[in-house]
Structures are given as C-alpha cells and as structure tokens.
C-alpha cells in the first residue's frame, strides 16, 4: 500500500509542478501552444477521436463530453501512477521508465499543439524530472524499512507520501489560480469594451417574433445560444494581444490589431448560425444580430490574387475552417464579428472576434477566436473537419422544426398552437406546411420575414382530437423548392428529412 502511495505522490508532484508552471507561462503570455501536458494530451485526443467515438461521446455525455474526457484521463493517470508505485518495489528501473514514458507522451502532445514553441516543453520536463527524483528518493527511504507494514516508520512514510500528494494537488490548484487570473484580465477587457453603434442598425420586424410559449425565440440570447467547438478549455484571448493576419495568395500581408479593427466602419447583420451536426429536429442552431467589419473589406486591403478560391481561417487553438472565397467577397454580410446581440462576444462564443458567414454551416465558416486568414485554394488546403469525414463545402440545407408541442407530450384536446422555426439560409423561406397523421399538408402562418439569412418562426392552429397523432412539418424556399423528405444523417454535409413528432391528445 505504501508503495502505491509513493507512485501516487510522484504522479501528483509531476502533474502539480507541470500545471503550476504551465499556468504561470500562460498567465505571462509566454506560450505558443498548450504548455499543460494534461490539457495538451486531452486536446490531441479530441483531434484524433475517430468519428464513431465522437458520436458515442456526444450521445452519451452530450455537451459534458469534455468533462467526461478529463475525468477519464484522471482515472487513467491515477491507475498508471499506482502501477508505477508497485513497480517501484519490484522493478525500480521499470518504474522510472514508465513515468518517463508518460512524460514523453505529454511532451509529444505539448510539442505538436498548433503554435507550440520550445518554451512550452519546460513545465512537462521539469515536472517529470521532479517526479523521477521523488520516485528515487521514495525507493531509497522505503527499502531502508524492511519491517512490517504496520510499523511506526512505515506509517510515518505513508503520511509523508500523502503529504507530498496533497502538495502536488496544491501546486495544480496554484496553476489553476494563475489561469483564473488570466481569465479575469480577459473578463475585465470584455467589460470595458463598448460595442460600437452602426450607421444602419438591423431592426427586428414587427411580427417576426410570434411569441408562442415554448417556441424558440426569434433572436436567441447569447447565454442560451448553442455552443459547439473542439476546445477542451475555453480560450481566453486578451484583445490587447489579439491580431488578425491575412496572408497567402494576396498582394500584401495585412495584420490588424484590436484598435485598428474597432476603428473600421462596423455593420450589423442578422444571421442564423447552424451546426452541420444538427440532427433533424435538433437545436444546434440559433439566430442573432452580429456586429462586425465585413471580411471582404479586409480582403480588399490585402488584395486577393487570381486563382484563389478559399480562405482558411485559424483560431488561437488551432481549429481551422475552409470558406469559399466567394462567400466572403460577394454582397452577403460575412463579418469579422465582435458582438452578438449588441453585447461583446462571451469567451465561449469567440471573444474578442470570430467569423460569421451567412448560408454556410459553422464548421466551414464561423471560426471563433480567429487570428489568421490564409487566402488559398481548396486544392491546396483543408479545414479541420474535412479529413475527419465531413464535406469540404458546407452550404446550409433547408429544414424546419417543431418546437411545441414537444415530442411525446400529452396534451389536452382542443385548439393547440403547433409552432417552430424554418430556415433556408441565404435563399429565404416562402412557406411552411404541417401535416397531421396522413392528412393533407396545411399552411402554417409565418412570422414576418427579417432577412433571407435568418430563420422564420411559424405557427399552425391545430384542432386536436383525442388519440395518438403524428405531426410533420416541411418548408419551401423562395425559389419554390420544397424541403426534401429523403432522410440523411448529419455527416458528411448536413441532415435532411421531415421533423415528425408524436403526441397523445386526451
Ligand atoms: N475556434 C473554433 N471555432 C469554431 C469551432 C471550433 O471548434 N473551434 N466550431 C465551429 C462550429 S462546428 C460551429 S457549429 C460554430 C458554433 O458557434 P457557437 O459555439 O458560437 O454557437 O462555431 C464554429 N467555430
Ligand atoms: Mo458545427
């Protein structure tokens, strides 16, 4: 038992020292990538997760999938350290090798994170060095007490080891405090930031919000807005050090800082953001008013060279999206967005700046914490999700959803408001119809049309009769095309099919 404690103490000191140093480096802004070996391994794991495992994790843990990953890693680490402790008794050499190997895994992850630089290695190297030294010391101390486990000496050793383990935990906590201090700096910058007024503000037309209880609001508040990204911890980006660089197939490389961005004429655009992972009837989408500077203006300053057809945007954490150049240069309001519903972006939604491109799924366009735009070609570059089984191009597919009643609800007979949203980004919705059981398609009443880039609410007044019923919805876009009934899963380029719900009327 005391040997296991030795292994755990060595692990705690290794991780604690590494996390403390990583926290300090991050706090000082001296890092290029992710200096914490634990977070780097987690991030590397996320990047290499095969699609089936990702789907399993999301369906099992939902948006807590990252917490589940961290807990899983902690369990594996504790088990590995216990084994190191046992080995220390019988095969001390091997124990040192196993701890060193864990360090090598951490180091490999740290050094392969996007933007990694040599300094990022320091926390892992020093942490592992301390752990190895501790293991050697523990071995020397424990072999000098060949007496029974219950002896006073062994009890003292055990207490010392527990103390060392607690010390390791304290170091980790101090590292966490350094990170929290960085978070407060970003939080303070966010609170100081006053969202600029624009010359022509977006207005929400009267009647766009139908106000049916339980239906998704026409404009979704930031705190309720869905969040999807690959970041294990939310990146904390200080506007004071933020830069956005445009390079690649351009006449001149342009780099702007936060002050420069804020000096540009800002625009507002109402855009419904959509996740390609959304299942039919799912809620991975939301509509907001975004404030920002059109991407095309920045591209104009750089001067796009002929032959380019894609812009690869990169975030501080290495996520990339490949957006068709055309979608960023045509008349649509593709923005370098700095505000959502006239509030600064929250760190979760990309503070200080992100991209928003009407008509394209988020994975090929909506890069949060964006710092780099490379003008390039689809033939030469690809975004994060393309080699992971998703299509290189991701125009949003027309779809519609029933928000109320909820699937499986028991409702009272009489007049029931069936309501939801429908979208056909950048084309616009012309009509929505509802079908009860095998009856005819019947027209729903649409909320006022704000823009072709936003969804529309709809409501249908249903005379519900007792029994079990199935409700289905379909939309028609402005070109006259109807939403397809053909079912497709989210991968590789977006789900299709009718949203159907089943209700019991009493
Ligand atoms: N940096 C970064 N930006 C990202 C992603 C990401 O993983 N990392 N995910 C994209 C995806 S898949 C979607 S759907 C949208 C979601 O934006 P939201 O979280 O603000 O709703 O962000 C996009 N931008
Ligand atoms: Mo997404």
């Amino acid at each position: 038992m005391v040997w296991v404690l030795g292994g755990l103490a060595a692990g705690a000191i290794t991780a604690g020292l590494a996390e403390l140093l990583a926290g300090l480096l991050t706090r000082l802004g001296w890092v290029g990538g992710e200096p914490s070996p634990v977070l780097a391994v987690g991030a590397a794991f996320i990047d290499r997760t095969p699609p089936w495992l990702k789907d399993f994790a999301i369906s099992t843990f939902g948006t807590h999938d990252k917490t589940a990953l961290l807990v899983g890693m902690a369990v594996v680490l504790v088990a590995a350290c216990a084994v190191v402790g046992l080995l220390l008794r019988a095969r001390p050499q091997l124990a040192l090798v196993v701890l060193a190997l864990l360090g090598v895994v951490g180091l490999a992850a740290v050094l392969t994170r996007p933007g990694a630089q040599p300094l990022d290695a320091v926390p892992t190297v020093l942490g592992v060095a301390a752990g190895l030294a501790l293991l050697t010391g523990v071995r020397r101390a424990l072999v000098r007490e060949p007496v029974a486990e219950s002896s006073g000496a062994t009890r003292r050793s055990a207490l010392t080891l527990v103390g060392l383990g607690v010390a390791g935990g304290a170091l980790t906590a101090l590292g966490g405090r350094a990170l929290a201090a960085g978070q407060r700096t970003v939080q303070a910058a966010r609170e100081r930031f006053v969202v600029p007024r624009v010359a022509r503000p977006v207005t929400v037309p009267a009647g766009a919000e139908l106000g049916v209880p339980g239906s998704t609001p026409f404009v979704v508040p930031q705190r309720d807005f869905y969040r999807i990204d690959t970041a294990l911890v939310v990146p904390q980006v200080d506007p004071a050090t933020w830069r956005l660089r445009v390079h690649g197939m351009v006449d001149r490389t342009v780099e702007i800082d936060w002050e420069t961005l804020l000096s540009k004429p800002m625009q507002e655009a109402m855009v419904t953001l959509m996740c390609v992972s959304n299942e039919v009837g799912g809620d991975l989408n939301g509509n907001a008013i975004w404030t920002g500077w059109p991407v095309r203006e920045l591209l104009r300053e750089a001067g796009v060279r002929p032959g380019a057809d894609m812009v690869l945007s990169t975030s501080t954490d290495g996520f990339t999206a490949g957006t068709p150049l055309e979608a960023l240069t045509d008349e649509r309001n593709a923005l370098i967005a700095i505000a959502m519903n006239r509030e600064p972006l929250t760190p979760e939604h990309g503070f200080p700046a992100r991209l928003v491109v009407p008509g394209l799924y988020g994975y090929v366009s909506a890069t949060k914490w964006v710092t780099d735009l490379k003008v390039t070609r689809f033939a030469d570059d690809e975004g994060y999700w393309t080699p992971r089984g998703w299509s290189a191009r991701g125009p949003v597919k027309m779809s519609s959803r029933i928000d109320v009643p909820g699937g499986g609800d028991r409702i009272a007979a009489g007049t029931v408001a069936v309501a939801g949203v429908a979208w056909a980004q950048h084309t616009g919705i012309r009509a929505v119809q509802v079908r009860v059981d095998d009856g005819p398609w019947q027209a729903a009443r649409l909320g006022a049309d704000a823009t072709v880039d936003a969804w529309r609410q709809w409501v249908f007044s249903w005379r519900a009769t007792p029994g079990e019923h199935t409700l289905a919805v379909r939309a028609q876009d402005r070109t006259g095309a109807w939403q397809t009934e053909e079912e497709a899963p989210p991968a590789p380029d977006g789900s299709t099919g009718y949203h159907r719900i089943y209700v019991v009327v009493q």
Side-chain angles (χ1 to χ4, degrees), residues 6 9 14 34 41-42 111 133 146 182 190 257 266 299-300 310 329 333 335 339 352 375 405 427 438:
T14 304
E34 174 53 77
V41 168
L111 291 176
R190 185 177 175 269
D257 62 14
M266 293 286 161
L299 292 174
R300 188 174 300 151
M310 186 243 254
T329 51
N333 268 321
L335 297 179
V375 180
T427 310
D438 294 323

Side-chain angles (χ1 to χ4, degrees), residues 228 274-277 362-363:
I228 292 283
M274 309 282 321
C275 184
V276 69
S277 300
Y363 82 106

